[in-house]
Structures are given as C-alpha cells and as structure tokens.
C-alpha cells in the first residue's frame, strides 16, 4: 500500500476521520437541499417555470451534468450513511452497560435521534426517487406538458401530492429531516473545528434558521397543493 | 436527614452487579456526599456487612479520583464540582438517590463503584506530553508566550482526568479529555513541534481503547467539574484532520 | 552508628558543583542493567522516575492511586519558589538559601539548603519547557508573587493550581518514559514492606490493590518518595490515602526516622463542622492580605451573629499582638494565636473552634467586585463547603495540619543510613528544618527528583553489581510471608470497631497532645494512651471481606496500624526536644518578660524559644524492636555560614 492510501484508510477507520467524512458529505447534501428547494419553489411561479427548470437540468453539459450531480450526490449519500451507521454501532458498543438512571444535562432530542431521523430520510429518499425520478407510477410518468412537448414535471408534482398519504409521509419525513438538520448543520462546524466560544451562538441560530427554511419551504408545497392553492391547470 | 440510596454493588470485574437499596439515616446536611457514604459504611461495618467501595483521595476536587454517577449525572446535580465537593444540602430529606459507577466499556468496573480508568494514562503515554529531557531546557523567560494563548492553554490544562466526560457521553467518548490535553500543549509554542504526531497518536490510542466518538451532544461540557469547553474538541477535530492530510501528502 | 551527612568540603557555594565533579558516573551501557525501584509518583517520585529512565536506568514505579497523576502533590495551590530574580528585586541563590534556613528555625543543614536554592532555577526552566502554564505578564514573560511573608517576589504560580500543573508536567514526562519502555508503572499497588539483603535495601513487597495479590520486586536501589505523614492526625489537608506506611516500614527495617515531631499547621483552613468530618480544606494564605482576623472580646459573644458585634467588642488579636506583621504573621504564629483565643472560650462556630476572617473592611474600601476578582474562586469554594456567603458574613477559619518536615534521615546524597535506600520529597527530613516556608515543598520535591538523585544515585550504584539480588533471595520470601500473615491478621480479628473509629481516636489524641502546642505532661499522657488504643485496635478491629479483591478497609487498616506506632515515635521526639522551634512548640519553652530579648524588644513574650546550645541537632530514631524504646541518634548541625539568630516578626 502506498503511504497515501494507507493514510486514507487510517483516516477512514479512525473515529474522527469518519466524522469528518460525515461532515463533508453533510455539507454537500445540505447544499443540495438548498438548491433543490429553490428549484421546487418554482411550482409557485407556475408550470412553465417549473418545466423549464427541469429541462435545463436534464440538458446541463449536454445531459452529462445531471449524471455528474447524481454520481456526486449518491457517493456522498452512501458515504454518509455507511460512516454514520458504523459510528453509531461503535458508539453503542462503547457505552456497553446502560445506566439504571441517566439524566441528560445538555443534549437535545434531535441529537439523540440522529440515526433514526437519518434512516427515515433514507427510506423517504428511496421512495421519493421511485416516485418522482424513476416514476414507477405510469400515470405520473406519462404526463406531458400541454404547451411544449416535454414531460410535465409540474403536473407530476401536483398530481403526486394530491395523494394524501403520500403527502403526509412527505411531511413527516421532512419534519425528521428538519430535526436532523437542526443538529447536523451546527455539528458540521464543530466536527470541522470551526466552532468556538465566540461563534457557538451564531452557529446554533444559523443551523436552526436553515433547518426551518428547508422544512417550511418543502412542506409548503404539498400543503398548498392539498389546500388547492396550487392546482393542476 | 434520612435518605434512600440505590447503590450499584458488584463483587469484582467479572461478577454480575445489581442495585442495592440502602437506608442512610441521620445525615447532617453539612456533610459532603462522600462523608455521607462514610457514615453509611460505618453503619454497614457495625452491622457486619460489606461496605460500599468508592474511589476518592484528595476530597477537595483536584485529584480526579472520586467518581460516581448520582441520579444519572456524573458528579451529581451541582455545577462545576466533583463528587467530593458536593454537599448534602443539595438534597432533601426523604430523597431517593441513585448511585452508579462511571460506566463505559473502556472503564471496566473493579468493584462496586470503583472503575479502572487506566485507559486515560495510556492515551497520555501515546503522545500527551512535550518531549524534553531533564536538564536540556533553555531559560524559562527565553520564550515569551502571548498571555491570551497562555490563558487558553491553562483553561484546557485544568482537566483533572476524572472521566466524567466519558461517563456522561451517550457514546462514552473521551474527547473532552483528549481535546483538553491537546489544546493545553498545542496552544503553547513549546508544544508546536510535536503537534501533529501528538494528535495522531492520542486519537489512535483513544480509538484502540474502545471509547466512542463525539457526536456533539455536549453532555461532557455540562458535567465537567472544571467546566472545560467543548471548543477543545473542535480544535482536536481540526488538528487531527490537518495532521492526517499532512501525514498523507508529506 | 555515627551519622555522616557526607556534605562535600569546600565553600558553601561550590559544594554541589564539586560533588557533581567528583561523583562517579555509570557507563551508559551499564545503566540499563540497573533496576531502580521508586515508590511514589508525586513530584519527587515522578520526576525521579522520568529522569532516571531518560538516563537509561530501568525503572519500576509504584503508587497507590489509580494513576500517577493523582499523587497529592496535585493539591498544592500557592506556588513554587525559585531564585530566578526575574523581578530584579534583589533575590539571589544566597537569599533563598538564607530565608529557607532561617524559616526552618536553624534546624536544617546549610549544605542541603544551599543546593536546593541553587537548583531551584533549573526547575522553572524544566517545567516551562514541559508546558507548565505558569502565570504570565502581558509582555509574555513569567509573573511572580511574594508568598508567605517573603520580602522578594520569587514565587512562580499557576492560578491556584500550581501543584496540579507541576505534577501534570511531571506525570506527562513519566508517561513519555512509560511509552518509551524505560518505566514500568504499577498503579493501585501499595508497598507494604521493604526487603533488606546483606544490609542493603534491595526490594519491596507490594499488594496489588485490585486483586489482593502480594508480590516482591527486587532492584539495585530503592527510592521512597511517598510524601508526608500528616494523616496521623486523621484530620489534615492531606489526601485520604496519604500514609506513613512506606517510610515506617523502612524505619522498622533499619532506616532512621528524623524529627518526626516537626509538623506544620496551616492557619487558614475551613474549620471542622461536625464529627463526621473526613478531611480539612486549605484556603490560600493570600486571603490574609485583605482579610482581618478577629474573635469577640467576650466569650459570651461567641455565639452571636458576627455582624451584630460592634468593632469595640472585637479583638483583632494578630494586629494587636504583632503590630507590624499583623494578619500576615508567619504560619506558626498565626496558628498558635488562633488556638489561644479558642482555648480562652472565644472561638466561634461549631465547637468553638474557629476565628473570623473578615472582608467587611476590604469590601468597603475596594468594593465587592475587586474582592471578587482577587478571591472569587476561594470565596466560591468556601460557600460550597459551608453553605455561607462570605461576602455577607465573615469566613470562619481554623488551623489544620498541613505538612510534615520530619521524615527518614538522609545524607547529602539523599541516601538513608541503610545503604541503597534513598528518600525524596516530603518523605525525607532534609531541607526544611523545623518549619517549611510557603512554596518550598514543591521546589524541594522537584529538586530531589529532577536534579539531585540523578547525580547522587550513581554514587551508590557505582559500588554495586547490577542485578545481583533477585526475588529468589530467601529474604524476599520471609518478608512476603510476614506481609501475608499481617494481612490475614487484620481480617481475622473480626472485632466490632471500624478502622476509621480508631484512626479518629488516635488523631484527636495527637492533635490535642502533640499538635500546635505541646507540653511534657500532655506528651507523657499520650505516650501512655497510644499503646492502649493500639492494644484495642489489634483486638477489636473489624475488617470486612477478604483479601482477594479491592478492599479499602483492609488498605486503611494497614496504614492505621503503622500510624498507631508512628504516633508514639512522634510524641517521643516531641518529648525529647526540650525547646520550641518552628512547627514544634513546647509550652515550657517560650520567651517571658524576664528574657533580655524581650526587654530589648527583639521578640515578645509567648514566642518560641530555641536552645541552640543543646538542641542544634536533627534527631534520628533507630527502631530497636517490638516493645523496646527506639534509640535516639543525633546529627549535630553545623552552621559555618549563617549564625543562628532569634526569629523576629515584630
Ligand atoms: C493542600 C496542600 C497545599 C499545598 N500547597 C503548597 C504550595 O503552595 N507550595 C508548596 O511548595 N507546597 C505545598 N504543599 C506541600 C506539597 O504539595 C507537598 O509537600 C509535596 O507535593 C509532596 O510531594 P511528594 O512527591 O513528596 O509526595 P506526594 O505528592 O504526596 O506523593 C506521594 C506518592 O507516594 C505514593 N505512596 C505513598 N505511600 C505509598 C505506599 N505505601 N505504596 C505505594 N505508593 C505510595 C503515592 O501514591 C504518591 O504517588 C501543599 C500541600 C497540601 C496538602
Ligand atoms: C439529505 C440527506 C441528509 C443530509 C442533508 C444530512 C446531513 C447531515 C449533517 C450535516 C450531519 C452532521 C455532520 C457532522 O456530524 O458534522 C449529519 C449527521 C448524521 N447523519 Fe445525516 N444527512 C442526511 C441523510 C442521512 C441519512 C440517510 C442517514 C442515515 C443513516 C443519516 C444519518 C446521520 C447520522 C447518524 C448523523 C450523526 C453522525 C454523527 O454525528 O456521528 N443522514 N447528517
Ligand atoms: S477526591 Fe480528589 S477530586 Fe474528588
């Protein structure tokens, strides 16, 4: 093994190294969420804007762009998941005997349920991809834009969220995502060593605001659709 | 005052332990928590029983020997103190108090409430020092140190190595301890030459001992009797990442 | 046996250099063949272990705590002296030497004390290089303060945690050597006896406190750095585990014990609040800079709320008796005065054993914030322990046992009369005479460990064949057997009383009769009573459990058994010394109105009175066997450079 490779292996197998991977991949995912939200909010502008945006993504770098983005996101997602599952397992093992009585003094519920919020997000993401990206529902896959000859992304979103159980699952998952982010975003700073006495307050606020925006932004869409504020035609 | 104690009893490292209920009667509220246990033990001895074994030495909050997780909080309900500095006036007559050891896989129970914290020594041995042979030091004032750095370094150096951080952490992570030692030494100019190898070695030893890793719950900060800030963990994370990069490419 | 201190000849300031020049060296290749046993990992033992390992010796280091970092050196607060003269206030090696000798009431050796002052400067260099975060000025250079009444600022400090920071530096150096393979560390391992082979100390017998296993370790030399014996009084500022066992066992194997009666009482401790009390907490003496000490003038006011007692009814007794030093009078004077007023029934707080330390005037003058800045952490500590608010009502303080100047007799090489046995730090008697100055114990421990023993050990080792003695020697088996029997005896008594109850009884008696003030009748009474307590101890002790796992009662029993014998030795020494000096105050020997020194105003009635003509010696007691009185040897102290004078703090 070359020294470089062995250092990388050692880094990955060390606890802090793995955490750094979680944080770095977390940044990518957090960035993606922001971009994704911005795109999604186009449903409020209307069908044309939404479908233009979808088309733009498909044709970025002559169609290669979307695949590069998907590859990066998938890699980060997988690394994030593998690392966090391994960390959680070794952390559970390190605690060994449980206390009969344990009282928390600082931690938050969000911090304690990271693995469960994460796994729910994973389940949601799989469903979400099948739903809107792979489009296993033929009805949604066949929708066409009435103005230009292309897939009707806007229509797919509206039709998709008119299904109440789907929307409810979406809202629950995003609430957990919000919880995940409220702890996760602040954690990035600590894990990468960018948090200090002076910045800790600001980081916490930033993290909350980010999580709140993501949550409100995303869930507003199914809610608006269910309330009929955004409709098919 | 009279209290009901629920105390962890365990004969030896390999024995199975369980909680035992012990009544503590006529405890003066000026007594310290450990003095309360002394009184209880005195009674147990008189009655022919086996006294509760618990670690302690200086009884003034500096040696780091005393431990105990009291009602689920390492070093008990008072802030910024060790168990030996906790006084009974913090409790009410009639209270039930749960007393357990500092639990973690890397801190095996020796007996009752006494645990083995030698893993901490091995982490220090791995790199928690500045290598300087006796007699080879230059004049002490030859190296001025910015007061601010000296103060920050001191804040970290106040760690007493008690292990409450590990006991409180849901992951049994010792990163407050490791980070405190790293910050103490790395912030000083004397400590800079060995910074990278120190951090790499200490973190690797910490992993090898079977401790968990910090997932930013900050429980450690909340129970640390010396109120050391989790900033030292942030610094450790950063220094470890940088040292790894340097090790990989240089 | 004649006691030869082996002080090198020549002028005082050249002795150490000459000694280093003349001492034999050990060939580097040979060093690793020598095994050195070090008992104790405090400043003295830890420093010695790290340094000897760096030099190439194989070191085995033992301590009873679960980690060497927890030795009681960790508790020192105030600071460490060194003759650096960074403040340019006229300090020098000579002045530190002189102050230490005078502070010790001229009961220590010039040669040793001068060497201590000389190496003090290297200690600070060493510690700073290790990363000890001493206080600094804004310019980045080291800060100093004046301590314990010294007229120069030579004390280096690290907030109120100097001992902790020095010990961590030392502990880290020790762990570095553990990592390098030079030191094998045995924590939670208690030395229970020493093994002498052909008249040389060649090993120890220890008990693994976790498994109860008793085993032997052989070495080419044995170093004891086991700290002080203040816990003989049960209540003291020492850690609960501090003990005399290692030193006393060595004494029983032939090492002489010097000046056991010299104990230091610290004036500013938090008073005893009840009979459950397990230890006393020291509060930094710096409090006396701004606090005023008083008791009510009338005994009937002692129970009143202090804030209701008008100034006219208060007796600021230190200011009254010692107008120029006032509240800053030396430790022994301040302590004794507190005892006097309490004996008169004017003491305050539980049991009438306390005096007020009042910040009212300082708060009025400087404001509460200024006081909080200076003493905030001490006030907080006081409030946590007592539940009282010292900003609103005066603190209560009382003297407590703090340090023991006596210890095993050693020569200039720190070797006892028993060849091969070396004694370092508070465990030896060498440098502080009858009284130790503030901030000098840390200095001595580190001087012994880092700079003296690495040189002087070679003097002994040069004449030894490495590894000549192993644990196969019959002497080891015999001592091991004795230790086993003794351990079993404790467990088999199965009486009614706990170890602590005996320890308390002994401690109270000693505090009463051999504490701050002593007299013939009291000491004789103690000498009669101690054997009675001891008798009951061996008949009515209860040690539950067995010896095969962690058993703290068993550990305590062994220590208290030794205190029971040692307390008697203390009283004997105190009885023998028909004078008052430093920490030893014999009521019969104090200045009175009739003395010329009092008439001339050099000193005051009630002050300690030395008798240099008869007592300018260090006592060195030899163990003579069970139930036989120990034999007193005397090392005459010679003062070539400084003429002993009457100590005056008027
Ligand atoms: C509260 C307090 C404050 C103080 N403040 C100051 C100050 O400001 N300045 C100053 O100069 N001095 C101060 N002193 C005094 C000073 O701290 C001590 O004298 C000094 O640290 C003693 O160091 P040492 O290495 O000799 O012993 P210690 O540090 O006591 O170490 C003793 C070692 O021996 C081991 N040991 C003992 N018995 C056994 C046994 N039977 N078997 C195995 N191991 C054993 C222990 O485990 C320990 O490792 C203070 C003392 C106290 C109590
Ligand atoms: C869009 C998806 C996700 C985003 C934006 C995201 C974001 C983050 C961020 C920023 C962190 C903090 C990193 C750090 O500690 O420094 C984090 C931690 C974590 N993530 Fe995710 N995450 C996502 C998906 C997942 C998934 C699918 C899992 C499922 C296993 C998961 C499990 C965890 C866990 C357990 C942690 C805590 C790790 C630790 O602190 O040790 N995450 N996440
Ligand atoms: S016993 Fe020393 S810190 Fe509590």
């Amino acid at each position: 093994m070359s020294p470089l490779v062995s250092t990388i292996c050692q880094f990955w197998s060390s606890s802090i190294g793995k955490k750094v991977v979680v944080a770095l991949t977390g940044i990518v995912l957090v960035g993606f969420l922001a971009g994704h939200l911005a795109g999604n909010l186009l449903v409020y502008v209307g069908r044309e804007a939404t479908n233009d945006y979808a088309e733009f993504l498909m044709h970025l770098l002559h169609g290669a762009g979307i695949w590069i983005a998907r590859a990066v996101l998938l890699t980060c997602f997988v690394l994030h998941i593998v690392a966090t599952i391994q960390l959680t397992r070794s952390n559970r093992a390190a605690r060994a005997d449980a206390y009969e009585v344990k009282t928390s003094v600082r931690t938050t519920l969000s911090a304690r349920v990271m693995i469960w919020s994460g796994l729910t997000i994973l389940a949601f993401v799989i469903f979400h991809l099948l739903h809107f990206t792979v489009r296993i529902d033929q009805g949604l896959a066949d929708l066409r834009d009435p103005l230009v000859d292309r897939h009707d992304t806007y229509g797919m979103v509206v039709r998709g969220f008119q299904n109440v159980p789907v929307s409810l699952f979406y809202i629950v998952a995003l609430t957990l995502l919000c919880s995940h982010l409220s702890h996760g975003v602040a954690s990035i700073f600590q894990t990468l060593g960018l948090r200090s006495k002076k910045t800790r307050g600001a980081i916490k606020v930033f993290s909350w605001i980010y999580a709140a925006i993501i949550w409100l932004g995303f869930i507003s869409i199914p809610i608006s659709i269910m309330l009929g504020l955004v409709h098919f035609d | 005052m009279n209290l009901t104690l629920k105390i962890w009893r365990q004969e030896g490292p390999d024995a199975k332990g369980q909680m035992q209920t012990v009544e503590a009667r006529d405890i003066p509220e000026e007594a310290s928590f450990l003095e309360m246990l002394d009184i209880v033990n005195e009674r147990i001895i008189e009655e022919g029983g086996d006294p509760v074994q618990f670690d302690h030495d200086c009884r003034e909050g500096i040696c780091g020997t005393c431990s105990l997780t009291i009602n689920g909080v390492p070093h008990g309900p008072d802030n910024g103190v060790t168990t030996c500095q906790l006084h009974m006036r913090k409790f009410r007559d009639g209270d039930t108090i749960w007393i357990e050891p500092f639990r973690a896989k890397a801190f095996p129970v020796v007996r009752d409430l006494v645990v083995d914290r030698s893993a901490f020594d091995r982490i220090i041995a791995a790199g928690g020092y500045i290598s300087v042979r006796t007699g080879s030091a230059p004049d002490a004032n030859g190296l001025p140190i910015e007061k601010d750095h000296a103060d920050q370094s001191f804040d970290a150096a106040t760690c007493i190595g008690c292990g409450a951080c590990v006991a409180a952490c849901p992951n049994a992570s010792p990163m407050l301890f490791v980070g405190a030692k790293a910050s103490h030494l790395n912030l000083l100019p004397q400590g800079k030459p060995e910074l990278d190898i120190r951090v790499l070695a200490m973190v690797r030893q910490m992993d090898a001992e079977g401790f968990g890793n910090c997932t930013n719950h900050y429980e450690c900060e909340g129970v640390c009797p010396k109120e050391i800030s989790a900033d030292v963990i942030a610094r450790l994370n950063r220094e470890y990442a940088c040292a790894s990069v340097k090790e990989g490419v240089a | 046996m004649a006691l030869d201190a082996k002080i090198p000849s020549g002028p005082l300031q050249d002795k150490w250099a000459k000694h280093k020049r003349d001492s034999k060296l050990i060939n580097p290749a040979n060093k690793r063949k020598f095994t050195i046993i070090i008992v104790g990992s405090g400043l003295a033992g830890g420093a010695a272990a790290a340094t000897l390992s760096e030099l190439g010796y194989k070191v085995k280091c033992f301590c009873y705590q679960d980690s060497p970092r927890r030795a009681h050196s960790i508790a020192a607060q105030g600071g460490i002296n060194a003759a650096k003269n960074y403040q340019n206030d006229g300090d020098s090696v000579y002045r530190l030497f002189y102050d230490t000798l005078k502070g010790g009431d001229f009961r220590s050796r010039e040669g040793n004390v001068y060497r201590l002052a000389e190496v003090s400067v290297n200690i600070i260099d060493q510690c700073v290089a290790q990363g000890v975060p001493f206080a600094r000025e804004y310019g980045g250079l080291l800060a100093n303060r004046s301590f314990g009444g010294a007229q120069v600022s030579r004390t280096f400090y690290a907030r109120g945690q100097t001992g902790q920071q020095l010990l961590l530096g030392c502990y880290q150096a020790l762990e570095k050597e553990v990592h390098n393979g030079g030191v094998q560390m045995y924590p939670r391992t208690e030395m229970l006896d020493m093994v002498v082979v052909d008249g040389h100390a060649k090993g120890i017998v220890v008990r693994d406190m976790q498994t109860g296993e008793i085993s032997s370790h052989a070495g080419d030399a044995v170093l004891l750095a086991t700290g002080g014996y203040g816990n003989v009084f049960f209540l003291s500022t020492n850690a609960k585990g501090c003990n005399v066992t290692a030193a006393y066992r060595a004494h029983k194997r032939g090492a002489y014990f010097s000046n056991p009666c010299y104990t230091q009482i610290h004036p500013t401790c938090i008073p005893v609040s009840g009979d459950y009390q397990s230890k006393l907490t020291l509060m930094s003496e710096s409090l006396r800079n701004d606090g005023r000490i008083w008791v009510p003038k009338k005994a009937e006011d002692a129970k009143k709320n202090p804030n209701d007692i008008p100034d006219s009814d208060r007796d600021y007794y230190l200011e009254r008796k010692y107008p120029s030093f006032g509240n800053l009078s030396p430790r022994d004077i301040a302590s004794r005065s507190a005892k006097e007023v309490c004996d008169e029934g004017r003491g305050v707080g539980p049991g009438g054993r306390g005096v007020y330390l009042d910040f009212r005037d300082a708060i009025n003058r400087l404001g509460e914030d200024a006081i909080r800045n200076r003493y905030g952490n001490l006030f907080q500590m006081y409030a946590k322990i007592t539940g009282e608010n010292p900003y609103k009502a005066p603190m209560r303080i009382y003297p407590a046992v703090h340090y023991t100047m006596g210890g095993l007799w050693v020569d200039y090489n720190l070797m006892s009369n028993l060849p091969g046995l070396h004694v370092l730090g508070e465990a030896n008697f060498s440098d502080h005479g009858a009284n130790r100055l503030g901030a000098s114990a840390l200095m001595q421990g580190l001087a012994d460990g880092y700079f003296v023993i690495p040189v002087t050990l070679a003097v002994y080792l040069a004449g030894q064949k490495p590894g000549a003695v192993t644990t196969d020697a019959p002497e080891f088996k015999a001592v091991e057997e004795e230790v086993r029997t003794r351990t079993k005896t404790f467990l088999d008594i199965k009486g009614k009383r706990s170890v602590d109850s005996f320890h308390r009884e002994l401690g109270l008696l000693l505090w009463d009769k051999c504490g701050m003030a002593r007299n013939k009748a009291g000491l004789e009474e103690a000498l009669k009573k101690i054997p009675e307590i001891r008798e009951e101890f061996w008949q009515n002790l209860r040690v539950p459990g067995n010896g095969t796992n962690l058993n703290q009662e068993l550990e305590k029993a062994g220590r208290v058994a030794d205190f029971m014998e040692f307390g008697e030795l203390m009283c004997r020494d105190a009885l023998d010394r028909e004078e008052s000096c430093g920490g030893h105050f014999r009521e019969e020997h104090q200045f009175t109105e009739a003395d010329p020194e009092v008439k001339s105003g050099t000193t005051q009635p009630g002050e300690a009175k030395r008798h240099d003509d008869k007592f300018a010696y260090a006592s060195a007691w030899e163990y003579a066997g069970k139930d036989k009185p120990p034999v007193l040897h005397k090392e005459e102290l010679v003062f070539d450079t400084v003429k002993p004078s009457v100590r005056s703090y008027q």
Side-chain angles (χ1 to χ4, degrees), chain C residues 100 103-105 264 331-332 405 432-437 582-583 647:
Chain C
T100 309
D105 228 353
Q264 185 171 77
R331 288 180 180 179
D332 52 334
M405 281 73 68
H432 304 296
N435 177 46
R436 171 180 70 82
L437 286 188
R647 209 170 59 139

Side-chain angles (χ1 to χ4, degrees), chain C residues 149 273 294 591 636:
Chain C
S273 64
W294 64 275
F591 283 101
E636 296 299 334

Side-chain angles (χ1 to χ4, degrees), chain B residues 11 28 30-31 35 38-39 42 45 48-60 62-65 78-79 81 87 89 110-111 114-115 117 120-121 124-126 128-141 143-145 147 150-151 153-155 157-162 177 181 184-185 188 190, chain C residues 51 54-55 64-70 72 74-75 77 84 86 124-126 128-131 133 136-142 158-159 161 164-165 168 171-172 175-176 179 188 210 237-242 273 276-281 383-387 450-451 496 498 500-501 542 544-545 549-553:
Chain B
E11 265 302 294
E30 302 83 45
E35 283 164 348
D38 288 343
I39 296 173
E42 190 83 12
I45 295 170
D50 250 335
V52 181
Q53 312 281 318
F54 59 91
D55 252 334
H56 63 97
D57 202 25
C58 76
R59 296 207 176 187
E60 56 182 80
I62 192 73
C63 72
T65 311
D78 206 356
N79 282 337
V81 298
H87 280 73
R89 66 179 80 85
V110 177
R111 191 176 173 196
V114 176
V115 299
R117 289 170 285 193
F120 272 13
D121 289 331
I124 298 297
Y129 46 76
I130 292 172
S131 300
V132 45
R133 292 174 65 90
T134 304
S136 61
D139 184 81
N141 255 352
L143 186 70
I145 301 177
K147 189 165 183 311
D151 285 348
S153 162
F154 201 129
D155 289 340
T158 55
C159 169
I160 57 174
C162 63
F177 167 78
K181 186 45 65 200
H184 162 208
L185 299 175
L188 296 172
Q190 303 92 300
Chain C
T51 306
E54 283 169 5
L55 288 173
Y64 72 75
Q65 290 94 346
D66 67 339
S67 160
R69 69 179 292 149
R70 310 205 199 281
H72 198 52
I74 200 107
Q77 303 174 351
K84 277 285 195 187
Y86 281 157
I124 302 303
D125 298 343
Q126 180 64 25
V128 166
Q130 288 170 344
R136 287 180 183 268
E137 316 274 4
Y138 278 98
L141 300 181
L142 292 160
R159 298 191 190 155
Q161 303 145 29
Q164 180 198 25
Q165 295 308 320
L168 291 183
Y171 155 74
Q172 286 160 205
E175 290 297 335
K176 160 176 74 78
H179 188 69
R188 278 206 216 271
Q210 302 196 139
T237 64
N238 282 5
K240 292 299 285 173
C242 292
S273 64
Y276 56 84
Q277 187 111 12
S278 62
K279 89 150 255 161
L280 297 170
T281 304
K384 290 255 185 222
I385 293 179
T386 62
Y450 282 137
F451 296 107
K496 295 224 158 34
S498 69
D500 276 359
S501 75
R542 175 174 211 112
N549 57 1
L550 184 86
N551 186 339
Q552 292 167 330
E553 289 301 309

Side-chain angles (χ1 to χ4, degrees), chain A residues 4 10 15-16 21 27 31 34 38 43 45 59 62 70 81 94 116-117 123-124 127 133 136 148 167 169 208 213 221:
Chain A
L4 176 62
Q10 216 163 13
S15 56
I16 296 185
V21 171
I27 292 178
V43 295
V45 181
H59 293 105
H62 307 288
R70 281 174 178 165
I81 294 167
W116 301 115
S117 54
F124 168 74
F127 167 77
T133 308
I136 48 168
V148 190
S167 285
F169 177 42
W208 272 99
I213 291 176
I221 298 170

Side-chain angles (χ1 to χ4, degrees), chain C residues 11 31 91 107 149 155 266 272 277 351 367 414 470 477 485 623:
Chain C
K31 283 198 185 116
D91 198 13
R107 289 293 173 267
T155 304
H266 197 288
V272 176
Q277 187 111 12
L414 301 184
T470 68
K477 295 285 153 295
T485 315
Y623 182 74

Side-chain angles (χ1 to χ4, degrees), chain C residues 321-322 332-337 340 516-517 580-582 584-595 597-599 602-610 646-647 650:
Chain C
K321 281 163 56 184
Y322 309 96
D332 52 334
I333 292 179
S335 298
R336 228 165 29 239
S337 307
E340 272 165 27
M516 265 185 281
S580 295
C581 58
H584 169 67
F585 187 79
R586 281 286 299 265
E587 286 165 353
E588 303 93 321
H589 302 279
Q590 42 184 309
F591 283 101
T592 61
E593 301 286 356
D595 284 303
E597 291 87 345
V598 174
K599 290 199 179 112
T602 318
T603 188
Q604 271 212 323
E607 285 309 324
K609 192 174 187 180
R610 287 199 323 262
V646 173
R647 209 170 59 139
Q650 286 289 300

Side-chain angles (χ1 to χ4, degrees), chain A residues 3-4 7 10-11 13-17 19-20 87 90-108 111-113 183 186-198 200, chain B residues 8 19 69 71-73 98 100-105 166-172 175 203-204 206-207 210-219 221-223 229-231 233-234 236-238 240 244 247-248:
Chain A
L4 176 62
T7 298
Q10 216 163 13
F11 189 68
S13 59
S14 77
S15 56
I16 296 185
K19 274 279 304 188
V20 169
L87 279 171
S90 64
N91 285 342
R92 297 258 158 105
R95 172 95 330 286
D97 295 322
Y99 283 105
E100 304 283 326
V101 174
K102 181 76 176 74
T103 315
S104 298
V105 291
R106 287 281 163 95
T107 190
T108 58
R112 273 180 289 154
V113 299
H183 178 72
S187 283
I188 294 174
F189 294 88
Q190 174 77 356
T191 304
L192 299 181
L194 305 171
R195 180 176 174 273
S196 70
K197 235 186 224 114
K198 287 184 194 140
R200 56 168 65 179
Chain B
W8 182 258
M19 299 303 285
T69 300
N71 286 340
V73 182
W98 293 75
E100 296 179 68
F102 276 5
R103 295 191 193 276
K105 189 174 122 211
V166 174
C169 176
N171 311 328
M175 289 202 17
V203 170
R204 282 168 192 165
M206 156 184 122
D207 287 348
F211 286 110
N213 174 254
C214 172
T215 52
N216 313 331
H217 293 277
Y218 307 122
E219 288 285 296
E221 203 181 55
V223 301
S229 147
D231 290 0
I233 300 181
L236 178 69
N237 286 334
R238 185 173 72 220
Y240 179 79
S244 295
E247 189 191 47

